[in-house]
Amino acid sequence: MERREFLTAAGLGALAAPAMAQGGVAAGPITGPAAGNGAGDRRYMLDLLIRMATPVLEPMAKGQLQARFDPELSPTWDGRDRRVAYLECFGRLMAGIAPWLALPDTDGAEARVRATLRAQAVAAYANSVDPKSPDCLLWQGAGQALVDSAYFTNALMRAPKQLWEPLDKATKARIVTVIKGLRDISPPYTNWLLFAAMNEAFLLSIGEQWDPVRLDLAIRKFNEWYVGDGWYADGPHFHYDYYNSYVIHPMIVEILEVLVATGAKFNSLPTKDLLDQAYKRMQRCGESLERMIGPDGSYPPIGRSLTYRTAAFQPLGLLAWRKRLPKALPEGQARAATVAAQRAIFRHPSNFDAKGYLTIGFAGHQPTLGDWYSNAGSMYLASLSLLALGLPAADSYWTVPPQDWTMKRAFAGERFAKDYYVDY
């Protein structure tokens, strides 16, 4: 009943009944309230969060996700163990919704739904490492586990009091064991270095034994791979895709934040200076990302892993959540642009299947866009575009009037800011 009340209050009444009856959300477009004000934008984003989270967390809290969810595989699937999909689905979803779950408890329908999803998430974390649970995840025998363990631990770092601290002692010990066990995986010299480093940052953040070399290597290599103007190469060669958004900028910043917060020192890395630099670079990248959003919310379908959809805008969400948006991007402008992109993508009904799970595609179900490593669980990286929901409804990000974004002004023949490269 409480969830139905919230869904109705948020403009989701049409979805409430199927969600309650089936433990998921019926297929259909994400319409939500009309654009034009912060309250409507936030309700729309909450609609999207609940649409993604409910079909995953509700069954996984009961140890039933793997029985209920049969992930779609890319037509070019490489034959790896398909059970990797469940760690991808859960870890990626949690990294995206953790900031919202971390909001303080208050009265009201939203808080009651959040309390339900938070309790389900904690139960799901317990099942994810319990060898007796049908939903124990695939932690061994697959290199992919290193990738998605980093999102799994990133979520715990984004909401430690709500997701890590409530876990029972046995679950905490199991999580530490499986994360340390992934040190056996040798990451390639790409963004995978950051996955290994994120896990070590998590261990450091909870007072566990950690490996400084893995953090040192990742930080140093990506500073070497910085190509300028807010963009990093993904390894020795620059790739024109959205991996600066999916992985690189956010993970560099959050790893350095842990090093600064804990006062960890090693190999003479000036962590505070590096963190300031990383934020400036991410702000510059965010400015470029905002300029990619067209007047109608469309944006360039470029590069590999395009099916991660609006995860392309994770840096803007993280900057908003941290209150670090650059001066060139006022909150009303950043919000209007990124919500327009969400609406452009999720207006297509086939983004979700009949059981409420994300499908492979960019703007709808487009399975041929899947890469050889793509499955429906992979698609939950799109939740990383929801980080701004970690700001409460009364925050200025949601209350300031919307402002037209760069492309909208440009193609309306209006005045807009010129753009110049930076040297940091």
Side-chain angles (χ1 to χ4, degrees):
M1 183 64 68
E2 291 175 351
R3 185 177 301 135
R4 184 181 291 116
E5 289 172 1
F6 169 69
L7 292 170
T8 301
L12 304 177
L15 300 179
M20 295 295 292
Q22 301 176 17
V25 183
I30 297 290
T31 53
N37 62 75
D41 287 345
R42 192 170 188 277
R43 287 197 302 270
Y44 175 85
M45 295 283 278
L46 277 171
D47 177 335
L48 189 54
L49 183 149
I50 294 168
R51 186 78 177 267
M52 289 186 191
T54 301
V56 176
L57 296 185
E58 191 168 68
M60 192 166 175
K62 304 171 185 176
Q64 298 174 359
L65 177 64
Q66 296 188 37
R68 189 179 299 180
F69 179 30
D70 183 19
E72 175 187 22
L73 303 179
S74 165
T76 56
W77 183 249
D78 66 356
R80 70 184 66 184
D81 191 325
R82 63 187 294 148
R83 289 177 296 169
V84 299
Y86 300 107
L87 177 53
E88 292 183 62
C89 174
F90 177 66
R92 296 175 184 208
L93 172 71
M94 291 308 304
I97 70 173
W100 180 72
L101 294 178
L103 284 173
D105 291 325
T106 58
D107 294 329
E110 178 184 336
R112 291 193 292 273
V113 172
R114 182 164 49 249
T116 297
L117 290 175
R118 186 190 296 148
Q120 290 173 347
V122 170
Y125 264 106
N127 283 331
S128 74
V129 291
D130 183 354
K132 295 181 180 179
S133 171
D135 276 344
C136 187
L137 300 174
L138 185 66
W139 294 104
Q140 297 178 329
Q144 186 67 34
L146 176 61
V147 174
D148 293 290
S149 65
Y151 293 108
F152 179 99
T153 56
N154 191 197
L156 297 172
M157 292 163 61
R158 286 173 170 175
K161 293 185 180 299
Q162 295 78 16
L163 297 178
W164 174 252
E165 292 181 10
L167 295 174
D168 62 86
K169 188 175 181 180
T171 297
K172 289 180 177 178
R174 288 169 178 157
I175 288 174
V176 170
T177 297
V178 298
I179 296 303
K180 289 182 177 179
L182 294 170
R183 291 170 176 165
D184 291 341
I185 298 172
S186 178
Y189 263 40
T190 63
N191 64 87
W192 280 49
L193 294 179
L194 291 168
F195 302 137
M198 179 62 75
N199 283 342
E200 299 303 324
F202 163 69
L203 293 170
L204 170 61
S205 75
I206 61 171
E208 279 287 334
Q209 181 272 333
W210 60 291
D211 182 357
V213 174
R214 291 172 189 265
L215 279 84
D216 181 84
L217 176 62
I219 293 167
R220 291 183 185 277
K221 292 309 296 184
F222 272 93
N223 276 326
E224 291 175 13
W225 293 334
Y226 182 67
V227 296
D229 212 21
W231 296 94
Y232 293 92
D234 190 359
H237 304 289
F238 179 74
H239 301 154
Y240 190 44
D241 55 31
Y242 290 115
Y243 270 80
N244 270 263
S245 297
Y246 300 154
V247 183
I248 298 171
H249 277 290
M251 288 200 176
I252 289 174
V253 162
E254 291 182 85
I255 288 165
L256 285 167
E257 284 179 334
V258 172
L259 291 173
V260 171
T262 58
K265 299 183 185 301
F266 57 95
N267 286 3
S268 301
L269 277 181
T271 52
K272 178 63 170 63
D273 292 342
L274 288 171
L275 177 58
D276 292 342
Q277 179 188 69
Y279 259 117
K280 289 174 68 176
R281 290 173 174 177
M282 184 163 66
Q283 288 170 335
R284 175 58 183 162
C285 181
E287 291 174 0
S288 297
L289 290 169
E290 186 269 349
R291 284 175 175 265
M292 292 184 181
I293 299 174
D296 60 350
S298 60
Y299 59 97
I302 54 174
R304 61 202 164 117
S305 301
L306 186 62
T307 58
Y308 298 161
R309 297 180 169 97
T310 49
F313 303 105
Q314 181 185 193
L316 288 168
L318 182 58
L319 289 166
W321 182 39
R322 292 284 201 264
K323 290 293 183 179
R324 297 287 294 263
L325 283 166
K327 291 181 180 180
L329 283 181
E331 289 182 320
Q333 181 176 331
R335 186 193 75 228
T338 52
V339 175
Q342 300 279 15
R343 291 178 182 272
I345 292 295
F346 287 101
R347 66 186 174 86
H348 298 275
S350 62
N351 281 296
F352 295 87
D353 68 17
K355 290 185 176 181
Y357 296 106
L358 283 169
T359 59
I360 297 174
F362 175 65
H365 185 212
Q366 299 158 300
T368 57
L369 291 179
D371 298 291
W372 48 267
Y373 46 79
S374 301
N375 62 75
S378 315
M379 304 302 107
Y380 284 84
L381 207 75
S383 72
L384 297 175
S385 63
L386 305 175
L387 300 186
L389 284 170
L391 298 170
D395 187 88
S396 59
Y397 182 82
W398 301 113
T399 60
V400 296
Q403 297 183 37
D404 286 347
W405 52 99
T406 303
M407 280 261 227
K408 194 167 185 180
R409 291 175 182 170
F411 281 88
E414 298 175 1
R415 184 175 180 176
F416 65 98
K418 292 183 285 186
D419 189 48
Y420 295 96
Y421 72 89
V422 300
D423 59 5
Y424 46 78

